[in-house]
Amino acid sequence: MVITDEIIDYVGILAKLELSEEEKAQAKKDMSDMLDYVEKLNELDTEEVPAMSHTFPLSNVFREDAVTNGDDRENLLKNAPEEKDGCYVVPKTFD
Amino acid sequence: MDITKLTAVQTGRLIKDRELSVEECVNACMDSIEKQDGNYNCFVTLDREGALKQAKEVQMKIDANELTSPLAGVPCAIKDNMCTANLLTTCSSKILSNFVPTYTATAVEKLQDVGAVILGKTNMDEFAMGSTTETSYYGITKNPWDVTRVPGGSSGGSAAAVAACEIPFALGSDTGGSIRQPAAFCGVTGIKPTYGRVSRYGLIAYGSSLDQIGPLAKDVTDCAAVLEAICGHDKKDSTSAAGLDTDFMSALKDDVKGMKIGVPRDYFLSGIDEDVKKHVLAAAKTLEEKGAVVEEFDLGMVEYAIPAYYIIASAEASSNLERFDGVKYGYRTQSFTDLHNMYKKTRSEGFGPEVKRRIMLGSFVLSSGYFDAYYVKALKVKALIKQAFDRAFEKYDVILGPVAPTTALTIGESLSDPIKMYLGDVYTVSVNLSGLPGISLPCGYDSKGLPVGLQLLGKAFDEKSVLRAAYSFECAFAAERRLPNE
C-alpha cells in the first residue's frame, strides 16, 4: 500500500507524534513495507470467522465503588514535571 | 564455593540450612555485577543499599522460621517494566527516565512476600518493543556468550544477567517471545505462563491481551519455584485467573512415559538454521527414548502468526502508550507553545524510533477506514491460530519446537530491517496470540558454541505437563550443559 504524505500527517495527529522530514520519509517506507507484508492475511478467507479479542472466556468483573487506597497525593506529585498547590501544572488550554 | 554459580533453589536451601547468610548471597551477586556488568550492561538500576536492608529483614524472618519458601533470601532482579515502589522504573525509555513508582507490581510484591531480595532492574528493549535489547535508551545489553552478539529481547538484561551468573533468577515479561527468545539466545531457562496465570498489575503495558510476566532462571526447577511464588488471582487484574493446580514443583519428575508430544512439521520447512533444527529434533529423539510418544504433524497457520501479531500488538501499544503525555510523570519537553504542542514534542523527544514505528502502525490500523481491513482481520486470524492449537492439543499433551530460527544474532544485524527482525519471532508470537504456556530451555550448542533453545508448549493452564517434559529433557541434557566462558 502506498502511504502518502497526507496519511502520515493524519496518523501523526492520531499518534500525537511530531516527526521530522527525515523521520516522515522513513515512516512512509516502514509503514508501507509492513502493510504490504501483512497483506498476507488476505490469503485467508475469514468471512465466517468471528473476531476474537480474548482467548479465554472472561466476563466483566464488578465491585462496589468503594475507595480502598489512601491519599498518596504528595508522593504521586513528586513524579510530576511541574506541580503547584497540590495540582499538576499544564500549559494554558484556553484564553 | 562460588555462590553465584548456584541455582536459586540451591541458594535458598543453603540459606535455610544456615550454611549461607542472605547478606553473603547479596554481596556475592553485587560483586559479580560490579565485576562484569561494565561489559554486559544487564542492569539499568542497582540498589545495593536497599538490597542489604532487605537482606537483614529477610534473615531475621528466616531465623524466626517465618519465611520457609525455597526462594527465601535468594537475590533476584526485575525487568525494568515492572513498577517497584521508590525504585526507578524506566521501561528503558527516555520518557520514563525519571519515573519512581509509588507502588509495586503484584508479581514483584509476591516475590518480596516469600523473601526474595531485589538487587536491581534489568535492561530491555524500550517498552519491550524489540527482539535484541538494542532499542534501550540505556545502551545495548551484550550476550555473555559472545559480546559482539545480542542477548535477544526484549527481556535481554534479565536473560544475560542470569547467564553471566550476576543473579540466580530474574523476572521478565513476554508479549511475543520476550522471555523465551532471550532465554534461548543466552542459554538459560524461561517460562511464559498461560495468559492470566500471573497478575499484570504494575507491569507497564505493551500489548495487554498478550503480556505475561514470567521467570528467567538457570534451570527448570528454579522456573517452577518462581512461578509458584508469583502466580494466582489478583483483584487488581481482572484477567488474572484463580490459582488452580499451582504446585508446580510437584511436576518436576524425570518421567515422560506415555506423554504425547507433537512436533510441527511446518516449523522446520524454511528459514531455520540447520544447527538449530538438528539440536531441536535431537531433543525430540531424547524424549522419545525416555518413553514419550513423539509424532510429527502439520500445525498450520504458522506463516500468518507474525502479520496478525504485529497488527494486534501495535494497535494495543498505540492505545496503551497514549498515557505518556508529559503531565503526570516522566519526561516533559523543555519548550512548547501550547498543550498539544507540548504533548507532541514530549512524545517525539521521549520515544525512540522502534516505539514510534509501532505507535504509528497501531494508530493507522485502528483508524477509521482501515480498522476492519487490518485490525478486525487480525483478530479473525487470531481465532484461526487458536483453533489450530486447539486441534493439536486434542491429540498431544505438549508441542515441541524451536524458540527462534537462529542462535544469537550479531549486534546491529537486524535493526536496519524491521521486518527481518520480526520474522525471528515466528515460533513465539502464536503462543501469545493463543494465550498458551511455553518454556524455553537450552538443548545444544551450534558450531560457533552459541546456545540453541528448545521450546515446549502446553494447553492453557497446563504448565505442569510443560514443566515435566522440560525437566525430563534437562535431566538427560545435564552432562552437556555449559556456562558462558567454559
Side-chain angles (χ1 to χ4, degrees), chain B residues 119-170:
Chain B
L119 265 56
K121 306 294 289 286
T122 53
N123 201 16
M124 54 187 276
D125 281 297
E126 185 181 2
F127 281 100
M129 297 177 193
S131 321
T132 62
T133 315
E134 291 170 290
T135 70
S136 167
Y137 178 61
Y138 296 94
I140 298 167
T141 293
K142 290 170 184 161
N143 192 319
W145 291 84
D146 176 352
V147 290
T148 67
R149 291 175 187 276
V150 300
S154 66
S155 311
S158 289
V162 173
C165 294
E166 291 183 357
I167 199 86
F169 79 93

Side-chain angles (χ1 to χ4, degrees), chain B residues 389-435:
Chain B
F389 276 112
D390 287 347
R391 275 195 302 275
F393 280 118
E394 278 170 21
K395 283 165 70 184
Y396 307 110
D397 303 310
V398 165
I399 292 176
L400 177 152
V403 180
T406 64
T407 53
L409 301 169
T410 309
I411 289 168
E413 202 176 328
S414 53
L415 266 197
S416 55
D417 184 352
I419 292 179
K420 191 182 161 199
M421 177 169 84
Y422 302 162
L423 289 177
D425 302 339
V426 58
Y427 305 119
T428 47
V429 293
S430 54
V431 180
N432 300 76
L433 289 171
S434 315

Side-chain angles (χ1 to χ4, degrees), chain B residues 112-352:
Chain B
Q112 289 174 319
D113 288 347
V114 300
V117 178
I118 293 159
L119 265 56
K121 306 294 289 286
T122 53
N123 201 16
M124 54 187 276
D125 281 297
E126 185 181 2
F127 281 100
M129 297 177 193
S131 321
T132 62
T133 315
E134 291 170 290
T135 70
S136 167
Y137 178 61
Y138 296 94
I140 298 167
T141 293
K142 290 170 184 161
N143 192 319
W145 291 84
D146 176 352
V147 290
T148 67
R149 291 175 187 276
V150 300
S154 66
S155 311
S158 289
V162 173
C165 294
E166 291 183 357
I167 199 86
F169 79 93
L171 290 188
S173 67
D174 192 314
T175 306
S178 285
I179 288 174
R180 290 160 289 154
Q181 184 257 25
F185 279 15
C186 291
V188 302
T189 305
I191 296 185
K192 183 215 96 76
T194 308
Y195 184 80
R197 188 57 107 172
V198 180
S199 166
R200 292 178 293 111
Y201 178 74
L203 171 69
I204 298 171
Y206 161 19
S208 308
S209 76
L210 309 160
D211 298 338
Q212 248 325 260
I213 294 170
L216 289 116
K218 286 200 180 93
D219 65 7
V220 179
T221 303
D222 281 4
C223 282
V226 177
L227 188 57
E228 212 168 286
I230 64 174
C231 71
H233 177 69
D234 176 14
K235 267 195 283 193
K236 293 168 180 165
D237 174 5
S238 297
T239 64
S240 64
L244 293 170
D245 227 11
T246 56
D247 51 335
F248 298 117
M249 298 288 272
S250 72
L252 303 173
K253 294 195 183 91
D254 185 8
D255 175 16
V256 285
K257 274 184 210 77
M259 183 183 265
K260 293 194 269 316
I261 299 179
V263 182
R265 219 173 271 128
D266 31 5
Y267 275 7
F268 298 92
L269 295 179
S270 64
I272 181 168
D273 277 6
E274 275 308 312
D275 261 349
V276 173
K277 185 175 171 177
K278 185 180 84 184
H279 287 292
V280 170
L281 292 176
K285 192 89 196 140
T286 301
L287 288 169
E288 190 171 31
E289 282 160 9
K290 289 188 141 220
V293 182
V294 178
E295 193 178 284
E296 287 192 0
F297 75 108
D298 293 309
L299 176 64
M301 298 298 297
V302 174
E303 70 223 89
Y304 302 106
I306 294 173
Y309 170 81
Y310 276 95
I311 292 172
I312 293 168
S314 300
E316 293 185 16
S318 73
S319 172
N320 275 324
L321 271 61
E322 275 173 16
R323 73 193 64 180
F324 301 103
D325 58 4
V327 173
K328 294 186 286 298
Y329 42 75
Y331 170 82
R332 178 188 281 189
T333 184
Q334 294 307 308
S335 65
F336 44 85
T337 53
D338 58 21
L339 184 68
H340 283 277
N341 182 252
M342 189 278 281
Y343 289 155
K344 277 191 154 188
K345 282 190 71 183
T346 293
R347 291 165 61 80
S348 304
E349 292 164 17
F351 292 134

Side-chain angles (χ1 to χ4, degrees), chain B residues 49-67:
Chain B
E49 207 178 308
L52 287 171
K53 193 166 153 266
Q54 287 175 71
K56 275 206 178 67
E57 290 165 11
V58 167
Q59 186 71 62
M60 274 163 60
K61 287 187 185 166
I62 292 171
D63 292 343
N65 282 323
E66 285 168 32
L67 284 175

Side-chain angles (χ1 to χ4, degrees), chain A residues 18 23 30 43-44 79 89, chain B residues 100 304 332 348 357 377:
Chain A
E18 188 176 67
E23 280 179 314
D30 289 344
E43 293 169 13
L44 297 167
N79 273 307
V89 175
Chain B
V100 181
Y304 302 106
R332 178 188 281 189
S348 304
R357 180 151 46 221
K377 179 80 186 182

